[in-house]
Amino acid sequence: MKHRLFSFLAVLFILLLSVSSCFADELKVAIVTSPNDVHDGGFNENNYDGVVAFGKESGSSVTTIQEKTGDPASCVKMIEDIVADYDAIVCVGFQFSGIVEAAEDNPDVKFLLVDTWPADDTGKEVEVSNINAMKFKEEEGGFLAGVAAALATKTKKVAVVNGIAFPTNVNYQYGFMSGVNYANKHYGTGAEIVELASYSGTDVTGQNVGGNYIGSFIDQANGKIVGQALIREGCDVMFVAAGGAGMGVFTAAKEAKGVYIVGCDADQYNDGANGDSNVILTSALKVMDMNDKRVLNDILAGKFKGGNYHLGADTNSTGYVKTPGRNQLTDDAIAKLDAAFELLKSGKIIPASSYSGTKPDNFAGLDAE
């Protein structure tokens, strides 16, 4: 009898160890966004998709948290309030760059910081051992958007519409303009980039960067006004990098005739649905979902590495949508875009950006074949 009891207890102990091991292989993950929620159809949602995919595959729990003001101080306070409750926190957006102290005070918690690098109280960029910070080469996605727009336009007038002239948005703008200029030179597209002075942007240094800026990432009404103004100027292809405010530009395109949008950050084909038609030509990609999932898996495997990383075509972290049924590009355009992507990947094309010191009409790689 004692032997049987001992055997039963031994088996029970092994089962408990097994169950405990399973729970140890799960994480409590939070994804925090501001000011839009995770269902914005672009930037936030792409990150959310990657985190949710990780959760489903690993059995980890995923909690979504929205900080609604967009104020950097409020974003940092939000992280400080929740940090003790999670194993990993995905902070989505430049508003979260100030989480350095919260991270250093909680070394066992791992942070993913998307679209910015951590900065100290003086604004100086720093590296923190438990923060994996990702910036992306938006100018590469913008470049592909510009080539696509120049190849597709029938009116020979194209435009880029942005939210606010933060460096990431200026990267998209300059990349787009670089791509149009490249297509004009190499493919004879003859496309004009339309910029309305009344909507020009001012960057963080106070410099006028031109372009067409809505002035918000959430104001859809003004987004529609900017879109309509560009359509009146003859634009029939617009690259929209403006978060939720960009949905207003989508509406303007849907209400017009023969106007197309190049989506941004994620595949926005669903957002382009317009009855039996669709206004999305293609979408420029910033592949955040794959990278979020990769880093979370590294945490689970005990291989997490902090640091500041600048991701681009060389790691397939930028690109464009060419999936059948999710774009309206011609076969010839896809071939040209694939060739351009390989040049980006190899470094033979380096589009203008907010940090390169080059301008869109004089960027390194213009003569690349």
Side-chain angles (χ1 to χ4, degrees):
M1 186 70 177
K2 289 182 178 180
H3 177 71
R4 288 181 180 177
L5 179 60
F6 178 79
S7 298
F8 171 77
L9 291 173
V11 171
L12 181 61
F13 180 70
I14 292 171
L15 287 172
L16 288 172
L17 281 177
S18 176
V19 171
S20 175
S21 175
C22 288
F23 281 118
D25 287 340
E26 299 173 3
L27 298 176
K28 290 181 66 177
V29 182
I31 175 170
V32 188
T33 62
S34 174
N36 293 323
D37 67 12
V38 295
H39 300 296
D40 67 345
F43 177 73
N44 290 345
E45 192 157 348
N46 184 250
N47 283 282
Y48 175 67
D49 288 345
V51 175
V52 168
F54 164 79
K56 288 180 178 178
E57 292 176 13
S58 67
S60 298
S61 65
V62 174
T63 302
T64 61
I65 300 172
Q66 180 186 5
E67 194 292 314
K68 295 183 178 181
T69 70
D71 173 62
S74 298
C75 290
V76 172
K77 180 64 166 59
M78 175 73 76
I79 299 304
E80 292 172 344
D81 289 344
I82 68 168
V83 66
D85 299 326
Y86 297 96
D87 302 307
I89 302 176
V90 183
C91 302
V92 182
F94 64 90
Q95 303 96 323
F96 295 93
S97 64
I99 63 169
V100 172
E101 185 174 347
E104 291 177 337
D105 288 345
N106 297 273
D108 293 333
V109 180
K110 304 299 188 290
F111 292 85
L112 282 69
L113 185 56
V114 184
D115 232 28
T116 189
W117 290 339
D120 63 18
D121 291 341
T122 68
K124 179 183 177 182
E125 291 177 348
V126 296
E127 290 196 8
V128 182
S129 61
N130 59 331
I131 299 178
N132 184 296
M134 303 174 237
K135 281 186 180 181
F136 293 80
K137 298 178 182 178
E138 295 91 0
E139 65 274 13
E140 293 182 348
F143 181 85
L144 296 170
V147 173
L151 290 169
T153 180
K154 291 181 171 58
T155 64
K156 302 300 180 184
K157 291 187 176 184
V158 300
V160 54
V161 183
N162 298 93
I164 302 173
F166 294 125
T168 52
N169 249 213
V170 176
N171 288 344
Y172 271 133
Q173 176 199 342
Y174 282 8
F176 176 84
M177 298 168 78
S178 298
V180 173
N181 290 333
Y182 180 85
N184 284 344
K185 178 171 183 177
H186 290 275
Y187 305 130
T189 47
E192 175 191 349
I193 301 167
V194 177
E195 299 177 87
L196 302 178
S198 55
Y199 296 112
S200 63
T202 301
D203 69 10
V204 293
T205 69
Q207 179 183 355
N208 187 325
V209 295
N212 304 286
Y213 283 84
I214 296 169
S216 166
F217 290 110
I218 60 176
D219 188 348
Q220 293 190 26
N222 202 39
K224 183 178 180 180
I225 290 170
V226 175
Q228 289 174 328
L230 289 165
I231 291 169
R232 285 195 297 271
E233 290 294 319
C235 294
D236 65 344
V237 184
M238 294 180 287
F239 174 43
V240 182
M247 292 298 103
V249 187
F250 278 52
T251 299
K254 291 175 182 180
E255 293 178 356
K257 186 177 180 180
V259 176
Y260 291 90
I261 298 289
V262 178
C264 184
D265 287 337
D267 180 352
Q268 292 196 281
Y269 196 78
N270 290 347
D271 293 318
N274 189 29
D276 294 333
S277 63
N278 198 297
V279 298
I280 291 291
L281 177 67
T282 182
S283 298
L285 300 177
K286 184 157 62 173
V287 189
M288 299 167 289
D289 54 351
M290 174 190 74
N291 284 289
D292 289 337
K293 184 179 174 184
R294 172 183 56 79
V295 176
L296 289 169
N297 275 316
D298 284 348
I299 296 172
L300 204 59
K303 299 189 299 182
F304 176 87
K305 184 179 179 182
N308 299 341
Y309 303 94
H310 201 190
L311 305 175
D314 57 338
T315 57
N316 293 313
S317 296
T318 58
Y320 77 102
V321 174
K322 61 177 180 179
T323 306
R326 307 292 298 179
N327 73 87
Q328 299 183 81
L329 297 165
T330 65
D331 290 343
D332 177 68
I334 289 174
K336 288 180 169 64
L337 286 163
D338 281 348
F341 181 77
E342 291 304 316
L343 291 170
L344 290 168
K345 200 168 189 175
S346 67
K348 291 181 179 179
I349 286 181
I350 303 174
S353 65
S354 64
Y355 51 80
S356 68
T358 56
K359 297 298 182 182
D361 57 351
N362 187 31
F363 66 97
L366 182 61
D367 296 322
E369 297 294 342

